[in-house]
Amino acid sequence: MKRLIAAAMLLALTGSVSAQSEFIRGDANTDGLRDLADAIFSLDHLFQDGLVPCRDAVDANDDGELDVADPIYFLMYLFGAGAPMPEPTDWCGVDPTADTLTCDTNITCDLGGPIEGLTEAELLSFNNGRELMSKSFRPSEGLGPMYNATSCTACHSTPAVGGSSPTYRNFYLVAVGEPPLQTAAPGFPSLVLPSYHQLDGPRLTIPDPAVLGEPVTVAHRQAPPLFGTGLFEFVANSTILAAADPNDGDGDGISGRWNTDGLGNLGRLGYKLQANFIEGFIRGAMFNQSGLTTDPVDGSDGVVSLSMMRQVSSSLDDPTTDSDGIPDPEVSVEDMIDLINFCRFIRPPEKKPFGPEEIAGEAVFESLNCNACHVESIPSSVGTLEAYTDLLLHDLGPANADGISMGVAQFMTAGSTSTESEFRTQPLWGVSMHGPYMHDGGADTLTDAILRHGGEAQTITDEFIALPALDKENLIKFLEAL
């Protein structure tokens, strides 16, 4: 019933997206499943004026009309006594029949929906996880005692659940000590600076390095979009290791290197590639940003192992706890499973059609050697991911260095052992949908983001500046189509 209500409210929350949105015939409540709830949803619309976000999906018999014949047709199909469902039926697609019905939005088929091929149990879990992303926690439910956000979507809502956020949602990291041996400030639950606290709790402030007797580094962060990033769990370690070139052995000026979570597990997630797998990544975020405690789900068994370093931290198997008076864990294992499945299976954005300008822009992209880091595709066990990343760290120069070092990066002959000026090659799929850009949200446009690239990319940036105006325009159009 919760999914039914959520689907009914979606149109009011998101507005009209596109009359050509894809849908699944008969999936009236747009949850990706065809079950009795869809017939109820259809009847609610017909006799109670319930809101319908995707009228095409309700038109079960594909006659271009919404009437009682649709739930009857659907129930006959559902219980095996009727004709097959008209296309699109196996998965999301557009209506092959011309009619006046539209599909304004569809939570399964639009941005932020699940990847294709999930089992019914996985899809149910994904849907539950999507709802939990928007749950606003209260102190009586475990929020705090210190926090930055009351829900996951506070930072992951733009342009859809699982996205990024405007810069007003940015947060700060505070690290004490010299890289790479930095720790959280005294009294801080993590490197994240909490902006809010419960009424009877302490308000944390950035400590004075003169008082501490140690350097204090403060860095700005914007929440990264989640679209497709959970699929990086399915990229083999060998693929990432093979792409690394820490000493620039090929002489192209690019020296990407892998990072670990500091415990020997190869990094895949985060701006610094500091996390190996989804569970560890989001459990940390929930505790650091919202003060929500959790128990491990898979724990160390969820690690995507690295054969050359098999260290596994016991902390991955430990619960997070706090002293806010609410029994731990404040989020159940069952809910954590659903949140993990949402973040793991949320699909990447699809490329838009390429015209002459986009094709020309792609040629400029390659001629500048942008694809040395933003590699178009990376193989995985769930198919080729057109993510435009190599899942490696690259030095972006002193202007971008935030002074924060995370993990233990691959050794390089000439270079720092810390990652204070290095960042993961940010995936470019759907990049036009979630500006501003860079790790701190400091680039308002894609052009600004290109100009921010220094270090290993400085030569490319200089060549971009020297391009004719038309080449620059075509390059941006190419990026906007990804």
Side-chain angles (χ1 to χ4, degrees), residues 332-382:
S332 69
V333 169
E334 292 76 17
D335 282 350
M336 280 305 304
I337 290 172
D338 293 339
L339 283 166
I340 289 167
N341 281 334
F342 173 79
C343 294
R344 176 175 288 144
F345 296 130
I346 185 172
R347 72 168 174 271
E350 294 184 5
K351 283 184 177 178
K352 301 171 186 175
F354 276 28
E357 293 169 322
E358 289 78 12
I359 293 171
E362 183 175 27
V364 174
F365 184 81
E366 294 175 354
S367 69
L368 291 175
N369 203 29
C370 300
N371 56 340
C373 303
H374 292 284
V375 180
E376 176 181 3
S377 61
I378 187 167
S380 80
S381 59
V382 292

Side-chain angles (χ1 to χ4, degrees), residues 221-233 240 256-259 267-275 278 281 373-374 387-396 419 421-429 434 438-439 453:
R221 279 287 189 275
Q222 182 182 34
L226 304 176
F227 304 126
T229 57
L231 301 179
F232 295 149
E233 278 192 344
I240 301 172
R257 59 177 179 163
W258 44 258
N259 196 18
R268 286 167 167 75
L269 306 168
Y271 284 121
K272 299 278 187 176
L273 289 171
Q274 73 271 16
I278 288 291
F281 193 51
C373 303
H374 292 284
Y388 288 85
T389 180
D390 55 6
L391 294 182
L392 296 174
L393 293 175
H394 292 277
D395 184 359
L396 289 183
T419 62
S421 64
E422 291 178 294
F423 298 89
R424 175 189 70 171
T425 302
Q426 187 67 3
L428 295 181
W429 49 17
H434 50 72
M438 306 297 286
H439 58 281
H453 282 56

Side-chain angles (χ1 to χ4, degrees), residues 206-382:
I206 298 171
D208 185 345
V211 174
L212 285 183
E214 294 187 82
V216 175
T217 302
V218 180
H220 209 199
R221 279 287 189 275
Q222 182 182 34
L226 304 176
F227 304 126
T229 57
L231 301 179
F232 295 149
E233 278 192 344
F234 301 95
V235 176
N237 292 315
S238 57
T239 298
I240 301 172
L241 298 174
D245 183 20
N247 299 313
D248 192 19
D250 58 10
D252 66 352
I254 307 298
S255 52
R257 59 177 179 163
W258 44 258
N259 196 18
T260 72
D261 60 5
L263 306 165
N265 307 309
L266 193 64
R268 286 167 167 75
L269 306 168
Y271 284 121
K272 299 278 187 176
L273 289 171
Q274 73 271 16
N276 172 268
F277 68 125
I278 288 291
E279 178 185 333
F281 193 51
I282 67 172
R283 284 187 66 208
M286 293 172 70
F287 185 68
N288 299 337
Q289 300 290 358
S290 298
L292 294 171
T293 62
T294 58
D295 282 352
V297 176
D298 291 322
S300 57
D301 289 339
V303 168
V304 186
S305 64
L306 175 59
S307 59
M308 57 195 292
M309 298 187 204
R310 287 199 177 272
Q311 300 173 348
V312 174
S313 168
S314 61
S315 65
L316 296 173
D317 299 311
D318 291 341
T320 52
T321 60
D322 60 24
S323 57
D324 59 7
I326 306 302
D328 300 320
E330 294 158 345
V331 179
S332 69
V333 169
E334 292 76 17
D335 282 350
M336 280 305 304
I337 290 172
D338 293 339
L339 283 166
I340 289 167
N341 281 334
F342 173 79
C343 294
R344 176 175 288 144
F345 296 130
I346 185 172
R347 72 168 174 271
E350 294 184 5
K351 283 184 177 178
K352 301 171 186 175
F354 276 28
E357 293 169 322
E358 289 78 12
I359 293 171
E362 183 175 27
V364 174
F365 184 81
E366 294 175 354
S367 69
L368 291 175
N369 203 29
C370 300
N371 56 340
C373 303
H374 292 284
V375 180
E376 176 181 3
S377 61
I378 187 167
S380 80
S381 59
V382 292

